[in-house]
Structures are given as C-alpha cells and as structure tokens.
Amino acid sequence: MSEELTHATIAELHGRLRRKEVSAVELLEAHEKRIDAVDGEVKAYLRRTPELARRQAEEADRRLAAGDHGVHPLTGIPVAIKDVFCTKDVETTAGSRILAGFKPPYDATAVARLREAGAVFLGMTNCDEFAMGSSTENSGYWPTHNPWDSTRVPGGSSGGSAAAVAAGEAVFSIGSDTGGSIRQPAALTGTVGFKGTYGRVSRHGLIAFASSLDHVGPFTRSIDDCATVLGTLAGHDPLDSTCFDRPLDLSTLNDGVKGLKLGLPREYFEVAGMEEGVKRSIAEAIDVLKEAGAELVEVSLPHTDYGLAAYYIVAPAECSSNLARYDGVRYGLSDPKAETVLENYLNTRREGFGAEVRRRLMLGTYALSSGYYDAYYLKAMKVRTLIKRDFDEAFQKCDAIVSATSPTVAFKIGEKTGDPLAMYLCDVLTLGADLAGLPGLSLPSRAEDGLPVGLQVISPQFREDLALQVGRAYEMASGVLAEVAPL
Ligand code: GLN
C-alpha cells in the first residue's frame, strides 16, 4: 500500500485522490514514513517542513472534497523544493552556510504557483552551494547520495531534488538549470528532468547564480507528469522581466515521432570521456526512436568544444556580481567580532562561502575587471552567439536534437572533488542548451549495470512541445520508465 503511494506518478495519484481511494494526508504520511526510512542514507533533504505540509495536505483534502472538477492535478501531491527557491517563512540557504537562518519573507513565483495549485511541500533539498557544481559535493552541508548506489553522487547541482524523486521521497520536485543542473542529475538518478526556453518559467525569488543562464524546471517520473508541472510553473510574471508571455501548447504530447526529423550532433557523440555503456544505451534509444518512425539526420554543432570555456567565463562572471550582496549585513551569517564594516564583509565571505564558490568569485571578478572584460567576458559572449547560431542551423535540418545527457553514469563520491576541471567536464553536453536558452529534456534510457543513463532531447526556442513529444514517444516505444530505486 505505502509503496504504491511513494512509487507512483502524479497522474496515478491524482486519480486516486479524486476517487477518494486515498487522502492527501495519507499520501503525505506515506512519504514521511519513506523519508524517515531512507533519507538517512540518501540525504536528499536539508530540512523538512512537516507542519506546513500537514496544513497543506488538510487544505488539499478540503479542496478535493469540495470540488471534483475544479481540482488542480497537483492538489495534494507531495513535492520537494531545491534550496534555491525562496519559500516564505522556511529557511532557504542555496546550500550555503552564508545564508544559514535566512527565512525569506516571500515565495519565489515557482513556489507560489505550486502553493496555489495545492501541492504539499515536504521540504528543501540539498544542492551544490549556490548551484555551483555537478555532484552536490559542493553543498555547504553534506553530499547527497545516489539512491541507486549510495557510494555514488546523484549529480548536481539539483542532486537533492533528483535523488528525492528517485528514492520515492517525493512524487516530483523542482530545480534550477544554469549549465545542466536539472538534466545531469536527472540522468544520473534515472528521473525525468526538464528546463524550458530561457524565460519560460519565472525566476523571481530564485536565488540567482548566473542571471543570463538560470532556468527553472521539474523532476518527475514520467513525461506526462513533466508536462503537468511545467504547465503549472510556466507563464508570464511581471516580477521577472525575462519571463515571456507566450502560450505553452502541449497538446501534441502523444503524437509520436513519425515524420519528425531528429538531429544527431556529430560533436556530441565524440566528446572526450564518453563511456562505452552510455554510448550503447543511447545508440539503442536512437534505434527505438527510428523504429517508432523518426527520421534521423546527422547535424553539426561545430562550436561545442568552446562551450565549456565560454560557460566557465560567463557563469563565474555573473555570479561574482550576483553574490556581491552576501556581505554579512543583510542576510544570514555575519561576524559579530568584526571591528570595521570591511572586516565584517571579508570575514563573512571567507567563512560563509565554500572553496568552489570562492574560486568562481575570483575567476569571475578577474574576467570582469577593467582591461580584461573585452578579452574574457565579451569574447565568451561572442562565442555564445556562435553556439546559438550552431543550433539555429541544426534546426534548419531537424525538429529536435537527441544525444546523451551526461558522458558518464553516476561517479563515485570523492572521485572528482580534487579536480575542478574534471567536474566541469560533466556539463559538456548540457550547457549548450543553457548558453542558447533552448528547451532541454533528460529522460531515462536503458540503465547500464544498474546505473541510470539519460537521453537528452533539445528543441528549438519556444518549442517545449517537441522535446516532450520526442521524450513521450521514446517512453512509450521503449517501455523504459523512471523507476524508484530499491532502498
Ligand atoms: N555544473 C555546472 C556548474 O557548476 C552547472 C550548474 C548549474 O546548472 N546550476 O556551474
């Protein structure tokens, strides 16, 4: 009974809630039990919100009792929130010690939309500090473990959100993707992760990392659920000027891939460090799509090699500016013994930020400094335009692009922590879609030796429908579904 509740999809649970086979409070209790049983090993949650969840579940039951038809598909569904979304009156720290104790006075728009929909908030999930990382090992608190093998990382930076869904500790979750932080952990945990076009979901109240790259999106156990959550999160928000006002039409979700042209970018299949197992799983997935009626075409993204360098200039540059606000005066940590304001700034930032954040602040400040701006930031932005053009040209020849999401399966905890460059290489296949602002989906393809592999689908700007349609077609034809890890 309780596994049925913690291993199910939003769609299944919505049906059961509506048919009164289960109440929102019972659903919450099943999840609390599951979290109690497995989170000691997984460590997906930084903090839980049991009183809030209880109130929300009771309110959801009232809504469910009152109106059958007007009930939102997320009413009563337990969700986990990455610790980068301001959540009113709930401690929100972006995985950083510098924000310890910070309780935002308002909700991020994404959080507000889930709250209005009647979702039940289980708690805040672990992430790399300020979303900088690919493994959650840069969290200022502790690393999260992969539910499929607890000696391995769940990916990052939204590793806690991914692990929570993969471990049956939440029905769905939300995360942020600046260079792959939704898709890469989705790949490593066997979940569905998606970010839409830049500006599809409001970033108001998302603790900023790199503003020209930050995207918001869901983790779920099916493409159908992914569409439901994206539909709830999306939509114009006057509080985020980059959030556009264009309808999201996902009515073609089940139309299949017959007649669609899928592009295979040559460079994405030749990246350094691509594991044989990942290659095999993706080759099989491509065969499945072909058999389902897709036409495959080879395309080229010639500036792929420069993506990593451009991203690791643009993202640190923007974060060095965004993180200037953490100075010990307005939020979280502060040094009570400091004798001058400057000393307080310096001590707070030295104490409060971890090594990776400090590394990026230094790199970014350097890249933006007078005399270097043109050589680094401006140049990286020009490369970014070339990368965007590569995609534009590729989409002249195809409707969507498919590839692996990550060149490797989940790696061992500690394996890359001593080598920042090795960690940065995790993002080589995902950050292009962030630099170009395009929809990017990761869904599970056949696992290799019990470890999940992710299939990535990238679609043109504003065409989230195409990425999801391809993902749904693969899900139906392959029978490979996002499963909950046996813990
Ligand atoms: N791993 C990348 C980084 O460290 C991406 C992070 C993200 O998407 N937030 O910057």
Side-chain angles (χ1 to χ4, degrees):
M1 167 74 181
S2 115
E3 280 219 345
E4 279 168 37
L5 297 180
T6 54
H7 290 42
T9 61
I10 295 171
E12 287 158 2
L13 292 168
H14 177 60
R16 300 189 59 173
L17 287 165
R18 293 227 354 216
R19 292 192 299 274
K20 311 275 186 289
E21 290 166 16
V22 67
S23 72
V25 167
E26 283 163 347
L27 192 54
L28 167 63
E29 284 169 353
H31 281 83
E32 290 187 323
K33 244 168 87 188
R34 175 80 181 172
I35 298 170
D36 289 341
V38 305
D39 206 51
E41 188 176 346
V42 180
K43 297 182 161 45
Y45 285 93
L46 281 178
R47 56 202 82 82
R48 291 164 67 181
T49 48
E51 293 90 23
L52 172 62
R54 184 91 204 176
R55 284 199 305 277
Q56 288 176 317
E58 285 168 0
E59 169 59 23
D61 278 332
R62 276 192 291 277
R63 282 201 212 177
L64 285 155
D68 243 6
H69 293 293
V71 178
H72 191 281
L74 299 182
T75 302
I77 306 290
V79 59
I81 297 170
K82 183 179 182 183
D83 193 35
V84 291
F85 291 95
C86 284
T87 303
K88 191 174 186 297
D89 299 330
V90 175
E91 188 181 347
T92 305
T93 68
S96 180
R97 294 276 173 189
I98 210 163
L99 276 173
F102 172 59
K103 290 190 178 168
Y106 64 93
D107 275 338
T109 298
V111 172
R113 293 207 167 140
L114 295 178
R115 206 189 280 272
E116 276 159 35
V120 173
F121 295 1
L122 294 169
M124 310 304 283
T125 55
N126 196 20
C127 57
D128 288 294
E129 186 175 10
F130 287 101
M132 297 175 198
S134 309
S135 68
T136 74
E137 291 164 296
N138 297 336
S139 164
Y141 298 89
W142 51 74
T144 295
H145 296 239
N146 192 311
W148 293 96
D149 175 348
S150 63
T151 66
R152 293 175 190 266
V153 303
S157 65
S158 315
S161 283
V165 173
E169 298 183 74
V171 183
F172 74 104
S173 60
I174 56 170
S176 59
D177 191 312
T178 304
S181 276
I182 291 176
R183 288 162 289 150
Q184 186 257 13
L188 272 44
T189 58
T191 50
V192 174
F194 189 43
K195 70 151 193 94
T197 306
Y198 180 74
R200 177 61 81 186
V201 178
S202 167
R203 294 166 305 138
H204 170 68
L206 168 72
I207 295 176
F209 166 7
S211 303
S212 75
L213 293 159
D214 292 341
H215 299 70
V216 170
F219 290 91
T220 59
R221 295 191 187 118
S222 73
I223 297 290
D224 196 34
D225 284 4
C226 177
T228 301
V229 181
L230 185 72
T232 308
L233 298 175
H236 181 57
D237 177 10
L239 297 172
D240 175 357
S241 60
T242 63
C243 182
F244 55 81
D245 192 8
R246 270 176 99 116
L248 177 68
D249 179 3
L250 302 179
S251 57
T252 57
L253 200 62
N254 292 310
D255 285 6
V257 280
K258 220 186 201 104
L260 285 189
K261 283 194 184 143
L262 300 181
L264 309 177
R266 196 176 318 131
E267 297 79 3
Y268 276 30
F269 289 83
E270 289 166 1
V271 293
M274 174 80 97
E275 289 173 354
E276 286 305 316
V278 172
K279 269 193 200 159
R280 268 198 303 277
S281 174
I282 298 305
E284 263 179 51
I286 290 168
D287 282 345
V288 168
L289 286 164
K290 190 172 172 197
E291 271 187 21
E295 184 188 331
L296 303 176
V297 291
E298 192 178 285
V299 295
S300 174
L301 299 171
H303 295 91
T304 298
D305 272 355
Y306 303 100
L308 210 64
Y311 173 85
Y312 278 98
I313 295 286
V314 175
E318 294 184 12
C319 88
S320 72
S321 158
N322 273 326
L323 271 57
R325 72 191 75 173
Y326 306 109
D327 55 8
V329 177
R330 278 172 291 186
Y331 314 94
L333 199 74
S334 187
D335 176 12
K337 292 197 288 296
E339 285 179 6
T340 64
V341 175
L342 183 62
E343 200 183 319
N344 188 20
Y345 289 172
L346 294 174
N347 291 352
T348 303
R349 290 168 71 83
R350 193 179 302 115
E351 279 290 299
F353 289 137
E356 182 62 26
V357 171
R358 290 206 302 273
R359 180 173 12 254
R360 304 231 187 161
L361 294 176
M362 286 189 278
L363 281 172
T365 304
Y366 183 79
L368 289 177
S369 55
S370 153
Y372 293 105
Y373 180 91
D374 289 1
Y376 294 108
Y377 188 72
L378 199 66
K379 191 149 193 183
M381 288 304 264
K382 288 180 181 167
V383 172
R384 185 176 184 177
T385 302
L386 295 175
I387 287 172
K388 169 96 180 54
R389 280 194 204 147
D390 285 353
F391 279 106
D392 290 345
E393 266 174 43
F395 287 131
Q396 300 289 316
K397 301 199 189 98
C398 64
D399 298 292
I401 284 171
V402 295
S403 72
T405 307
S406 156
T408 71
V409 294
F411 46 93
K412 293 271 186 190
I413 291 180
E415 191 178 315
K416 297 184 200 278
T417 39
D419 184 354
L421 279 180
M423 194 69 92
Y424 298 171
L425 279 169
C426 296
D427 313 324
V428 61
L429 299 174
T430 45
L431 47 78
D434 292 290
L435 288 165
L438 304 173
L441 170 71
S442 182
L443 75 161
S445 57
R446 190 186 45 71
E448 273 287 322
D449 290 333
L451 292 174
V453 177
L455 172 70
Q456 176 170 241
V457 189
I458 299 172
S459 55
Q461 194 180 29
F462 308 126
R463 296 304 305 272
E464 285 81 355
D465 55 324
L466 284 172
L468 292 171
Q469 189 177 329
V470 174
R472 177 78 184 115
Y474 175 74
E475 194 184 58
M476 281 194 288
S478 68
V480 179
L481 297 174
E483 281 171 45
V484 170
L487 280 158

